[in-house]
Structure formats: structure tokens, C-alpha cells
Amino acid sequence: MIVVIDTSSLLSLVRYYLPFDQNNKLFNFIKKEIQNHNIIVIDEVLNECKMVSGKLVVKKLDFLIDKDFLKAHKIPVKTENLIPPSPKKFYNLVDNNFITSNAKKLNSAQFEQRKKEFLDSADARMIIYLLTQISKNSFEKIILVTEETEGSNDLKAFKKLPAISKILDIEVKTLPELLELYTDINFSFE
């Protein structure tokens, strides 16, 4: 199973789960899964984690800013030069299916600017990474983990991750749903 995790889920992990992780069982499990590339943290997600909520994620998951750990385990996954499989089809989806009704109100220059911002975002990079992994690992279960919902996108030009994933038939789970999949470890917090 390959899991690509979003900033929102990492933030939930450190806010709502780790405070109750008295024996560091969950912390160590997540660290091991990231270290073994079973949970993927891409470069743009790590960059977001360094900027949101007072850097809470990287303060609590301090191995994510430990240069020796990152270098030894090749974390984060670099996405800057990733090209989506079937680029023409992907960019057609970006222009026509990933947009919200707000995008239709933009002039062409504004739309192109918002599209560039979207394609440089952690969301788009996770989607491209997921599509690349799906094309390479057709027999592997591949999941996007995010706490986002499909609903309204606050006047943004592009849909949220769950809505885009639905279009692309990418499996999406929340952090609690992901943790339920790990049946070999008991996460009861006592």
C-alpha cells in the first residue's frame, strides 16, 4: 500500500492524535512508515508544514526537519520535475474538469495565473505523483489521505483534492480511515 499524505492530515495527526500517544507508539509507527516510503511526504507538503499553524507539524514530527534523517531516507519525495502520465489528457482535465464555477468568471490571463499557481501547489503535485505511481504500480493499493471534504472551495478556481480524486478515480481516505487499515497495530491510547 502506498499512501500519499496531505498537510491537513499531518496537522490532524499532531493536533488530535499525538497528544494522547503516551508511549510514542503512533509517533514511531508513522515515522517508520514515512522512513520506509509506505507513507509518502512530497516536497510541497513538507514546505506547507513548515509554514502552517506555527510550524506545529515539523515541531511535533521533528524528524521531518532532521537533515540527516531526510537525506538518509530520501525524504521528501521531489515532485518539481514530475510529468503526469498522458500529459495532454491531464491538462485537458485541469482546464475543463478540475475547475470550479469561479474559474469561469476569470479572464484568460487571470485563469492562466491561477492555473499556474494550482499546478505548482501541493494539491496538484500530489495528484500528479499519485497518477505516476498508479501508472507504475498498477497492482499496488494507492491512497490519498486528506482531511479535506469535497464541498465548497472558498472562491478558488480549482476543486479540492477529494473532488479531483473522484474524477480521476483515486482512492481518498481521512486519517482515521487510514489508521483503521493498519490492523496489525493497536492504537488504543490509555
Side-chain angles (χ1 to χ4, degrees):
M1 177 169 66
I2 298 173
V3 173
V4 178
I5 195 162
D6 186 22
T7 307
S8 63
S9 294
L10 289 168
L11 197 52
S12 274
L13 173 70
V14 300
R15 275 189 177 153
Y16 308 120
Y17 292 81
L18 292 186
F20 302 101
D21 185 26
Q22 300 303 317
N23 299 325
N24 286 331
K25 192 175 191 179
L26 180 58
F27 176 91
N28 291 329
F29 177 78
I30 295 294
K31 181 178 180 179
K32 184 176 145 266
E33 290 297 294
I34 290 173
Q35 176 180 323
N36 293 336
H37 292 263
N38 296 324
I39 295 178
I40 305 296
V41 177
I42 68 162
D43 46 9
E44 283 306 309
V45 165
L46 184 55
N47 289 339
E48 281 183 357
C49 288
K50 292 175 183 176
M51 295 187 290
V52 298
S53 297
K55 302 180 183 184
L56 184 62
V57 171
V58 293
K59 285 178 182 174
K60 297 288 184 182
L61 302 176
D62 56 352
F63 59 89
L64 288 176
I65 53 173
D66 177 338
K67 290 180 181 170
D68 293 332
F69 177 86
L70 297 176
K71 186 176 181 181
H73 302 292
K74 297 180 179 156
I75 300 166
V77 171
K78 306 284 186 230
T79 60
E80 185 177 8
N81 296 319
L82 274 183
I83 297 169
S86 307
K88 186 176 180 179
K89 179 181 176 187
F90 177 78
Y91 292 114
N92 187 39
L93 287 168
V94 169
D95 289 338
N96 298 301
N97 298 76
F98 297 174
I99 60 171
T100 65
S101 57
N102 297 317
K104 296 172 184 168
K105 299 173 188 170
L106 302 171
N107 66 40
S108 62
Q110 291 170 322
F111 177 75
E112 288 303 317
Q113 178 59 34
R114 299 273 169 76
K115 182 167 101 173
K116 182 187 179 324
E117 290 167 4
F118 170 73
L119 291 171
D120 289 339
S121 73
D123 288 4
R125 298 235 182 130
M126 281 188 291
I127 292 293
I128 293 170
Y129 180 79
L130 284 157
L131 291 172
T132 303
Q133 291 305 306
I134 290 166
S135 72
K136 289 180 185 176
N137 303 298
S138 60
F139 299 108
E140 184 91 41
K141 182 178 182 103
I142 299 175
I143 301 170
L144 170 65
V145 175
T146 184
E147 305 312 294
E148 289 183 6
T149 59
E150 230 179 288
S152 172
N153 206 9
D154 307 323
L155 303 177
K156 292 186 180 170
F158 291 90
K159 295 178 180 176
K160 290 174 144 185
L161 280 171
I164 292 171
S165 296
K166 190 178 212 178
I167 293 166
L168 298 170
D169 200 29
I170 294 171
E171 186 174 354
V172 177
K173 297 222 175 279
T174 62
L175 184 60
E177 292 168 335
L178 173 68
L179 294 177
E180 284 179 9
L181 295 177
Y182 296 111
T183 56
D184 55 330
I185 185 164
N186 179 0
F187 291 118
S188 65
F189 300 109
E190 299 169 3

